Amino acid sequence: MTARKPAASETESFDEFWASVARPTTTIIRGVTVAVPRDMPMLVEQRLEELQDSSSLDDVAELVGLIFGENCLEKWRDAEMGLLEFQVILAWGMANARGQKVTFQEAYDIVQEQAAGGKAPAPNRAARRSRSAATGGPSKATSSGSTGSARKTSRR
C-alpha cells in the first residue's frame, strides 16, 4: 500500500482555510467603502444584549463600527444619510452577517414591512370591488316574495 498524500486542505491552517472561504467583498454606501458583512462578530451579540436599552449615540456608533468598520456612522452622518437609509443598511448588514445574502431592495422591503406592523397594506375600494367581481359566481338567491309572481291556482 502506498501512503496517501495529504490534500492541501489538510495541511493548511484554519486561518488559510477561512481566508479562502470568506473572501471579503466590498460595497460603497454613501461614499464609504465597507466590507460586506460575512459573519457576525461574537462581540456584537454580547454588546447588543448589554446595550439593548441604551439610546446613546456612542453605543450605536460602537455597534455599527463592529459590523461595518470604525467611524462608518460618523461618515454616513456627514454624508447626510437619512434614518430610513440607515435602517435599510442595518437590516442588510445584519442579515448578511447572519449568512443570509440579502439585496438592498430586500432589506428595504423588510424595513417597510416592519414599519407597517408586519401587515400588508389594506386594499383600496377598487381592489375590494374587483376581487368580489372576479369570483364569477352566481348572485345570491332572493326571496320569491319579492321577485316572483303570485301563484295562480288552477280551476277544475
Side-chain angles (χ1 to χ4, degrees):
M1 266 187 143
T2 59
R4 184 176 72 90
K5 182 180 176 185
S9 62
E10 293 175 4
T11 60
E12 67 186 351
S13 70
F14 177 79
D15 292 346
E16 291 169 328
F17 160 74
W18 196 249
S20 70
V21 170
R23 287 191 179 98
T25 57
T26 60
T27 191
I28 300 171
I29 300 173
R30 280 300 193 140
V32 180
T33 302
V34 298
V36 175
R38 292 272 199 233
D39 197 4
M40 182 71 68
M42 292 172 62
L43 183 59
V44 171
E45 289 292 326
Q46 176 187 345
R47 295 299 289 154
L48 278 172
E49 195 172 304
E50 294 170 356
L51 303 173
Q52 67 184 355
D53 295 326
S54 174
S55 59
S56 165
L57 188 57
D58 290 339
D59 293 339
V60 173
E62 176 189 353
L63 291 171
V64 170
L66 288 170
I67 297 168
F68 295 104
E70 242 180 271
N71 300 320
C72 272
L73 184 61
E74 293 83 13
K75 291 175 185 175
W76 290 337
R77 243 191 357 227
D78 293 344
E80 299 180 2
M81 178 180 279
L83 182 58
L84 178 58
E85 289 175 275
F86 184 63
Q87 291 171 330
V88 170
I89 296 306
L90 283 180
W92 172 82
M94 296 295 282
N96 277 283
R98 289 188 176 111
Q100 297 173 309
K101 293 188 180 205
V102 173
T103 65
F104 292 117
Q105 179 65 56
E106 290 167 332
Y108 175 80
D109 294 342
I110 291 167
V111 170
Q112 293 292 25
E113 184 177 314
Q114 289 172 346
K119 298 179 183 177
N124 63 24
R125 182 177 172 190
R128 288 191 307 268
R129 286 184 177 193
S130 68
R131 196 172 33 218
S132 64
T135 61
S139 323
K140 290 184 179 179
T142 55
S143 69
S144 61
S146 64
T147 59
S149 56
R151 182 174 178 177
K152 297 180 183 178
T153 56
S154 61
R155 293 186 188 175
R156 289 189 183 199

